[in-house]
Amino acid sequence: CDTEAKTLELFDTDKLHKREILPVLVVVENNNDFAIGIHERDFVLVTRDGTNLPSLPYASVLLHISLDKPLSSYSTQSEMLLRKIGDQEMILDFEHKAFGEKLIAPASSDSGVVFFMLPEKENLSGTRLYLPEIINFSDKTQLMFFEIELGRPQE
């Protein structure tokens, strides 16, 4: 969701786009005969110049878009600050849509949103979503990685 319009299709707030947060809707289809495990913290956004940007937990994103000052300027713990946001509907929406930790059964699919800081506003050309760790849940072995180009080539 690299534009405000696309972001508003997923979330009822323009604050994500204004604060340069990039929500990426990830859909995983498991065509294996075993369950797979994926965690949102394993996703990385690789920029055109090779910079790796880690994913952001939805709670950090909520605080980033809801607080006036940077999180580091507050002495209260994140969990307590989340309770003070006041918009419980928005908190539940983010919690429900966030990718989190998934255990995807054989022959099924699941989805969720992974958040990143937007590297270059509205220009994702050459940017890739990298998932280095997918786990075969039955024997705890690591499967191959995935790398998906997000941006469209410039015309």
Side-chain angles (χ1 to χ4, degrees):
C1 299
D2 59 341
T3 65
E4 185 173 2
K6 289 179 186 176
T7 301
L8 288 171
E9 288 178 25
L10 282 178
F11 295 97
D12 293 333
T13 179
D14 61 355
K15 292 179 182 180
L16 286 165
H17 189 72
K18 287 180 180 176
R19 295 282 180 107
E20 299 184 355
I21 300 287
L22 174 68
V24 178
L25 178 61
V26 176
V27 179
V28 177
E29 188 173 312
N30 182 7
N31 293 321
N32 298 297
D33 58 355
F34 52 84
I36 59 173
I38 301 174
H39 199 291
E40 72 181 359
R41 71 172 172 253
D42 295 328
F43 285 92
V44 176
L45 191 68
V46 182
T47 65
R48 253 187 306 219
D49 66 3
T51 303
N52 290 340
L53 302 174
S55 62
L56 304 169
Y58 83 91
S60 296
V61 171
L62 275 169
L63 291 173
H64 183 73
I65 67 172
S66 301
L67 300 174
D68 296 328
K69 298 182 282 185
L71 184 58
S72 60
S73 64
Y74 294 88
S75 61
T76 308
Q77 291 182 341
S78 298
E79 297 80 23
M80 295 179 79
L81 286 172
L82 271 175
R83 285 187 230 139
K84 291 183 180 186
I85 287 176
D87 190 342
Q88 291 302 310
E89 205 170 297
M90 183 168 72
I91 293 170
L92 290 173
D93 186 44
F94 273 67
E95 183 178 13
H96 175 72
K97 291 177 181 171
F99 194 88
E101 188 172 359
K102 302 280 186 192
L103 177 60
I104 304 170
S108 67
S109 63
D110 205 340
S111 63
V113 176
V114 181
F115 299 94
F116 300 94
M117 292 303 297
L118 188 61
E120 293 182 33
K121 196 168 188 176
E122 297 184 35
N123 183 5
L124 295 178
S125 179
T127 302
R128 299 176 317 277
L129 183 65
Y130 178 59
L131 179 57
E133 192 168 313
I134 301 172
I135 302 296
N136 174 339
F137 202 74
S138 61
D139 64 8
K140 306 294 188 233
T141 58
Q142 187 171 335
L143 303 174
M144 65 180 279
F145 68 89
F146 280 90
E147 191 170 52
I148 304 157
E149 185 150 346
L150 293 183
R152 296 174 290 285
Q154 291 182 340
E155 298 175 15

